[in-house]
Amino acid sequence: MQNSFTEENYLKIIHALSGREGHEVSTNALAESTSTRAASVTDMLRKLAEKGLIHYKKYQGVRLTESGEKVAINVIRKHRLWEVFLVEKLGFGWDEVHDIAEELEHIPSDHLVERLDAFLGHPRFDPHGDPIPDAKGNLTEPDYFILTEVQIGEKVRMMGVLDHAPSFLQHLDRAGITLGCLIEIKEINEYDKSASVQINENHTLFISLEVSKNLLVQRR
Amino acid sequence: MQNSFTEENYLKIIHALSGREGHEVSTNALAESTSTRAASVTDMLRKLAEKGLIHYKKYQGVRLTESGEKVAINVIRKHRLWEVFLVEKLGFGWDEVHDIAEELEHIPSDHLVERLDAFLGHPRFDPHGDPIPDAKGNLTEPDYFILTEVQIGEKVRMMGVLDHAPSFLQHLDRAGITLGCLIEIKEINEYDKSASVQINENHTLFISLEVSKNLLVQRR
DNA sequence: AAAAAAATTTAGATTAACCTAAAAATATAT
DNA sequence: ATATATTTTTAGGTTAATCTAAATTTTTTT
């Protein structure tokens, strides 16, 4: 049997909240993320458990089963491939594609996903730098650093964002901070931990700690 | 307020069944087309009428209102644009795209449709030869002929199909009959009205009346 | 370790989209 | 024009996904 739009969303969110190690996710965290009430979450968890998609014991939180993980990763694959399509082919900004991809990710057709993937040239990363799982469901999170961990004088490459909010992405656009750009930390203000950074050996600007905390970079 | 997936499908089907002149559509015809029961149709008609999308008087059948027509045509526009995308960009066959487009047509975003349209080069027809309504909702049905109306000796161009069933489209593929090909009627068998036709001034073959009845052509 | 607080589940409703069976309206046939 | 058949609607249920309020379990605090 097929999984509903809603079921797929729960699985995707459980995946996201359970972290790299796949730890238990609480009912309240799910209620928060799904914008529903805890009671509704409990109902859905019973259903997903019956379908063998999650491990669930009352009051103990949930984890994905292997089969649930497979579904979740496939939804993520579709979401990220569609985001690439929207940005690379249709010319949307990286701040505009999330909601549309949220719909497209539930279109059911393996045939479609594989052709889309080929059409896009088998991209490894989406427009926010998030890795795209392959057709077999292998999802390797690259080990990037958060910009706050980088020392003065280091030059790093901007590889992704932790916050996907349009307002944050637009802020980066205005600052000229794009995926793949070079960032050199010039100095860090002790008082508020804001940083003076040079972008692409070109222009220099201040970024707040809030911004630094949400930038993923790669050392070279 | 937004229209649901189901509501959009009803509007699309009412549009299709009410023909060029927009005549009344019966409850039973809708039940047939939606694969539901008449009672379910009645429920939905009351809802659509309340939303001002259809004209509905008990026992008298339904017609789309202007606003319902607008919604229906927009769904058709999206369906046909996605079909072009699937065939032209992803390499699907014309016999494979209907079900996928049936899902994609309900993705809500005007922005998306307009960018998709531009990406595809503002196509006027979908892969089956059906005209694509423009952004303003203008849908002009070209006046093609059915192949059965064509006389012996005439040369016509294949412009569309009436039957969209994969099995019919695959049959045409095997016969080498593609959109835009030239068809010359060589002779017509009086007994069963099957026709001997030459395709692209090239190969000749027999086609049954069933096939002729479902081919739309243009005189030149 | 008992009390208080927080998290979670259960119980009982609601809405959208469907269903069956029965009633009512319309159409057809004699 | 009446009887019969067909179509459509009404009445009353079902399921998925949600809700609120109350009950229960777990966690935290004193």
Side-chain angles (χ1 to χ4, degrees):
Chain A
M1 74 241 62
Q2 273 273 108
N3 304 304
S4 72
F5 187 104
T6 310
E7 288 167 343
E8 286 190 353
N9 272 336
Y10 270 87
L11 295 172
K12 184 183 62 172
I13 291 170
I14 293 167
H15 178 91
L17 295 180
S18 61
R20 225 165 286 217
E21 332 79 48
H23 55 251
E24 255 79 26
V25 176
S26 76
T27 299
N28 265 359
L30 282 169
E32 166 89 47
S33 286
T34 55
S35 303
T36 62
R37 300 318 186 89
S40 311
V41 172
T42 301
D43 285 349
M44 180 57 81
L45 295 185
R46 187 173 304 108
K47 180 149 67 127
L48 292 173
E50 237 153 59
K51 284 182 135 193
L53 295 165
I54 58 173
H55 295 290
Y56 172 55
K57 268 186 291 195
K58 285 207 284 184
Y59 296 100
Q60 308 301 175
V62 274
R63 259 177 328 106
L64 294 176
T65 60
E66 258 190 54
S67 117
E69 176 90 359
K70 210 173 279 180
V71 175
I73 287 185
N74 193 240
V75 174
I76 291 164
R77 171 166 163 78
K78 293 196 278 183
H79 182 101
R80 293 181 182 169
L81 283 173
W82 280 116
E83 285 201 344
V84 173
F85 170 72
L86 294 171
V87 169
E88 295 299 319
K89 301 296 182 179
L90 298 197
F92 278 98
W94 66 344
D95 57 312
E96 303 177 303
V97 295
H98 188 270
D99 292 352
I100 298 175
E102 206 75 0
E103 304 276 336
L104 288 165
E105 72 189 6
H106 302 290
I107 303 285
S109 164
D110 291 348
H111 207 171
L112 173 61
V113 194
E114 298 329 314
R115 280 182 183 264
L116 179 64
D117 183 38
F119 176 61
L120 298 172
H122 304 287
R124 311 275 314 279
F125 300 93
D126 80 10
H128 309 104
D130 296 313
I132 299 176
D134 69 21
K136 286 175 196 116
N138 300 311
L139 171 52
T140 47
E141 298 278 355
D143 52 346
Y144 296 145
F145 297 88
I146 296 173
L147 190 60
T148 52
E149 294 165 8
V150 174
Q151 304 301 311
I152 289 174
E154 271 193 275
K155 283 184 195 168
V156 293
R157 194 171 286 285
M158 198 313 229
M159 299 305 282
V161 293
L162 287 176
D163 183 356
H164 290 196
S167 61
F168 176 61
L169 300 172
Q170 287 156 16
H171 181 63
L172 296 183
D173 280 340
R174 283 189 299 271
I177 299 174
T178 57
L179 217 62
C181 76
L182 277 178
I183 302 180
E184 180 177 350
I185 310 280
K186 290 298 196 181
E187 59 179 310
I188 291 171
N189 188 327
E190 266 317 305
Y191 173 63
D192 63 357
K193 302 280 196 277
S194 68
S196 172
V197 299
Q198 189 173 46
I199 306 301
N200 285 328
E201 327 224 277
N202 183 340
H203 63 291
T204 302
L205 54 97
F206 278 98
I207 60 178
S208 70
L209 178 63
E210 255 328 276
V211 168
S212 298
K213 271 181 182 167
N214 283 295
L215 286 178
L216 291 172
V217 300
Q218 185 166 53
R219 294 205 171 89
R220 310 145 346 114
Chain B
M1 73 247 51
Q2 272 272 108
N3 304 305
S4 73
F5 187 104
T6 311
E7 288 166 346
E8 286 190 353
N9 272 334
Y10 270 86
L11 295 172
K12 185 184 62 171
I13 290 170
I14 294 167
H15 177 92
L17 295 179
S18 62
R20 227 165 282 217
E21 332 79 49
H23 56 250
E24 256 79 27
V25 175
S26 76
T27 300
N28 265 358
L30 282 168
E32 166 90 47
S33 285
T34 55
S35 302
T36 63
R37 298 318 185 91
S40 311
V41 172
T42 302
D43 285 350
M44 180 56 82
L45 295 184
R46 188 173 302 108
K47 180 149 65 128
L48 292 173
E50 237 152 58
K51 284 181 136 192
L53 296 165
I54 58 172
H55 295 291
Y56 172 54
K57 268 188 291 201
K58 287 206 284 185
Y59 297 101
Q60 308 301 193
V62 275
R63 257 177 329 106
L64 294 175
T65 61
E66 257 190 56
S67 114
E69 177 90 0
K70 213 174 278 180
V71 174
I73 286 185
N74 193 240
V75 174
I76 291 165
R77 172 166 160 81
K78 293 196 278 181
H79 182 101
R80 294 181 180 169
L81 284 172
W82 280 116
E83 285 201 343
V84 173
F85 169 72
L86 294 171
V87 169
E88 296 298 319
K89 301 296 181 179
L90 297 197
F92 278 98
W94 66 343
D95 57 313
E96 303 178 302
V97 296
H98 187 269
D99 293 353
I100 299 176
E102 206 74 359
E103 304 275 336
L104 288 166
E105 72 189 6
H106 302 289
I107 303 284
S109 164
D110 290 349
H111 207 171
L112 173 61
V113 194
E114 297 329 314
R115 280 183 184 265
L116 179 65
D117 184 38
F119 176 61
L120 299 172
H122 305 288
R124 311 271 316 278
F125 300 93
D126 80 8
H128 309 104
D130 296 313
I132 299 175
D134 70 20
K136 287 175 196 118
N138 301 312
L139 172 53
T140 48
E141 299 278 357
D143 50 347
Y144 296 146
F145 297 87
I146 297 173
L147 190 59
T148 53
E149 294 166 7
V150 174
Q151 305 301 311
I152 290 173
E154 271 194 273
K155 284 185 195 167
V156 293
R157 195 171 287 285
M158 197 314 227
M159 299 305 283
V161 293
L162 286 176
D163 183 356
H164 290 197
S167 61
F168 176 62
L169 300 173
Q170 286 157 16
H171 181 65
L172 296 183
D173 281 340
R174 283 189 299 270
I177 299 174
T178 58
L179 217 63
C181 76
L182 278 178
I183 301 179
E184 179 179 349
I185 310 281
K186 290 298 194 180
E187 56 180 312
I188 292 171
N189 189 326
E190 267 315 306
Y191 174 63
D192 64 355
K193 301 281 197 276
S194 67
S196 172
V197 300
Q198 188 173 46
I199 307 300
N200 286 328
E201 324 226 279
N202 183 340
H203 64 291
T204 303
L205 53 97
F206 277 98
I207 60 179
S208 69
L209 178 62
E210 256 327 277
V211 168
S212 297
K213 271 181 181 167
N214 284 294
L215 286 177
L216 291 172
V217 300
Q218 186 167 52
R219 293 207 170 88
R220 311 147 340 117

